[in-house]
Amino acid sequence: MLLKLWAKKEAFVRSEEGATAIEYGLIAAGIAVAISAVVFTFGDELREMFSDTATAIAERDDGSGG
């Protein structure tokens, strides 16, 4: 009984499945931080660019006569 328990403990310690999940979590967190930094830094410029593009498309559609 004690030998089986010891073997299960050793198998658990050698298992790397949990470490892989933690690594993926850290990668996802790093990507989220990078996206947040880009949006925080360039957010106003991106909003203006999309607004200008939407305005240009709306003006083009209004003048097409179709």
Side-chain angles (χ1 to χ4, degrees), residues 12 15-30:
F12 178 75
S15 175
E16 294 185 7
E17 291 178 14
T20 303
I22 291 171
E23 290 167 355
Y24 284 130
L26 290 173
I27 291 169

Side-chain angles (χ1 to χ4, degrees), residues 3 5 7 11 15-16 20-21 37-39 43 47 53 57 61-62:
L3 190 57
L5 196 58
S15 175
E16 294 185 7
T20 303
V38 168
V39 169
R47 184 181 302 124
T53 303
I57 291 172
D61 286 344
D62 288 343

Side-chain angles (χ1 to χ4, degrees), residues 34-62:
I35 290 171
S36 297
V38 168
V39 169
F40 180 75
T41 303
F42 300 109
D44 293 333
E45 289 87 358
L46 288 172
R47 184 181 302 124
E48 184 178 343
M49 181 186 70
F50 282 115
S51 177
D52 292 345
T53 303
T55 301
I57 291 172
E59 289 174 355
R60 183 174 152 222
D61 286 344
D62 288 343

